[in-house]
Amino acid sequence: MPERATGKAGVEPLAAARRTLGRWLAGKPGPPPLAGEAVVAAGLEALVAVERAAGATLVAGAALAGRRGLAGALAGGLPTALGLALGGERAALFLSAAEAVAALPRLAETPARRAPLVVHLLEASIEAAWAGVAAGAAVWTPASLGEACDLALAARRHAEAALAPAVVAHFGPLARAIQTAARPERDALAAWLGSAADELHAAGPAEAALFGAHRRRLPRWHDAGAAR
């Protein structure tokens, strides 16, 4: 783990995340997937819309149960979201900062288990962001709602390419702020993210040894439907 000398060391800088997103979009025709009608929305409402448009099942931690904007989300926190991800389903986990720190031991299991899980930390603290870093996750720290929506998709692309957890830490009141964002276009979003069941070429010898020449975008280690 990197040294903590500057407070945010080890958390991927926003500029680096933008460069990553830019590389993914470079050379592809058409606008970025979030281009579309501008809407004014509360932060959590916009994030939920982006995740649902991406086909993710929403999961909430106990501290956020019943939170307006997360209606219909599954309960159970990290264990539920991890079970979905290991079952080959897209999952978006919403946690409070305190829950993220408490979940560190379990979150640290996800890289070894190759679980492509996206975690949103609401009203995050630097300690919660560092908990994600210590658990082996890539961590993004958006400064506005528009960046939060874009980086939610960057986090998902990263998680599903690396088969590792990705964390988006929403500092301060960002999840409650009312700002302008872009309404996701489902067709463009689906084309950019692909389907959970898409077959991909194995990325390197390690993946080839584990999966063979090809793997499902979200590997299915067990039948998640059987646990419901």
Side-chain angles (χ1 to χ4, degrees), residues 109-150:
E109 297 175 9
T110 56
R113 300 180 73 174
R114 296 187 179 270
L117 178 62
V118 175
V119 183
H120 292 277
L121 305 185
L122 303 189
E123 299 179 9
S125 63
I126 191 64
E127 289 76 18
W130 268 96
V133 173
V139 179
W140 283 269
T141 58
S144 70
L145 180 55
E147 290 176 349
C149 291
D150 287 346

Side-chain angles (χ1 to χ4, degrees), residues 186-197:
R186 287 182 179 271
D187 291 344
L189 192 56
W192 190 67
L193 286 178
S195 166

Side-chain angles (χ1 to χ4, degrees), residues 2-228:
E3 293 183 359
R4 194 173 177 173
T6 62
K8 286 194 176 182
V11 180
E12 182 171 358
L14 181 58
R18 283 175 172 159
R19 287 195 297 272
T20 300
L21 190 58
R23 285 197 300 271
W24 285 332
L25 294 173
K28 296 192 175 184
L34 278 179
E37 180 186 359
V39 296
V40 178
L44 182 57
E45 175 187 345
L47 291 169
V48 164
V50 167
E51 291 292 2
R52 283 185 168 147
T57 298
L58 306 183
V59 183
L64 301 177
R67 179 93 172 251
R68 185 177 180 180
L70 284 173
L74 298 180
L78 182 58
T80 297
L82 183 57
L84 290 170
L86 291 174
E89 296 189 32
R90 282 181 170 147
L93 174 61
F94 290 81
L95 293 177
S96 69
E99 285 177 313
V101 174
L104 173 60
R106 190 71 183 269
L107 185 62
E109 297 175 9
T110 56
R113 300 180 73 174
R114 296 187 179 270
L117 178 62
V118 175
V119 183
H120 292 277
L121 305 185
L122 303 189
E123 299 179 9
S125 63
I126 191 64
E127 289 76 18
W130 268 96
V133 173
V139 179
W140 283 269
T141 58
S144 70
L145 180 55
E147 290 176 349
C149 291
D150 287 346
L151 294 183
L153 297 178
R156 186 156 301 282
R157 276 287 290 254
H158 168 81
E160 295 178 4
L163 296 182
V167 172
V168 186
H170 308 281
F171 287 98
L174 183 58
R176 292 183 280 108
I178 298 177
Q179 297 181 11
T180 300
R183 189 188 305 277
E185 295 179 348
R186 287 182 179 271
D187 291 344
L189 192 56
W192 190 67
L193 286 178
S195 166
D198 288 344
E199 190 174 73
L200 307 181
H201 292 292
E207 277 197 10
L210 186 60
F211 299 108
H214 302 91
R215 68 165 173 89
R216 194 175 187 271
R217 186 184 299 277
L218 272 70
R220 180 166 281 159
W221 301 101
H222 65 82
D223 184 356
R228 293 186 183 180

